[in-house]
Amino acid sequence: MIDTVSRVTYAEAKTKLRDEVRNEVRDEVRDEVRDEVRDEERAQTRQAIIQLLQTRFGNVPQSIEADLEKINNSAKLSRLIVVAGTATSLDDVAGAIRKA
């Protein structure tokens, strides 16, 4: 009788531990994928800003590209798209990027 109880308890513990590990791994993978997607979205937004600036003003100084790379806040990058589309000069854009 004791052996049966021990085996059931062991089996339940094993199942519970397996489920916990599975959930933990799933959560870690989900978080990594989410971070990668966000990184890719920010990279695409930066590229869109640069392309917009190139279309409007010609060559974009490396300093502007470097300053854009430092911005990791998606909301700030989204606001900079509007700036890139409405600014009257690259200096205005560079100032907005530095303030972001």
Side-chain angles (χ1 to χ4, degrees):
M1 181 90 171
I2 294 175
D3 288 339
T4 304
V5 172
S6 296
R7 286 186 193 131
V8 170
T9 303
Y10 172 76
E12 290 173 349
K14 184 178 172 183
T15 300
K16 183 176 180 182
L17 180 59
R18 184 188 65 229
D19 291 346
E20 288 174 3
V21 169
R22 195 179 284 157
N23 290 338
E24 194 172 310
V25 169
R26 182 197 63 226
D27 292 347
E28 287 179 23
V29 169
R30 182 193 62 227
D31 292 346
E32 287 178 26
V33 169
R34 185 179 5 184
D35 290 345
E36 288 175 15
V37 167
R38 287 180 181 163
D39 289 345
E40 181 61 29
E41 288 173 347
R42 286 190 291 266
Q44 289 175 355
T45 302
R46 288 185 197 98
Q47 188 59 38
I49 292 168
I50 292 167
Q51 288 175 338
L52 179 57
L53 293 174
Q54 287 172 338
T55 300
R56 295 193 66 220
F57 301 110
N59 290 332
V60 176
Q62 183 61 35
S63 60
I64 287 179
E65 290 187 38
D67 287 343
L68 275 174
E69 284 297 321
K70 296 176 188 173
I71 300 172
N72 288 317
N73 182 298
S74 296
K76 289 179 181 182
L77 287 169
S78 293
R79 287 191 293 273
L80 287 171
I81 291 175
V82 174
V83 171
T86 58
T88 57
S89 71
L90 282 173
D91 288 337
D92 292 342
V93 175
I97 291 171
R98 284 191 295 272
K99 290 178 185 176

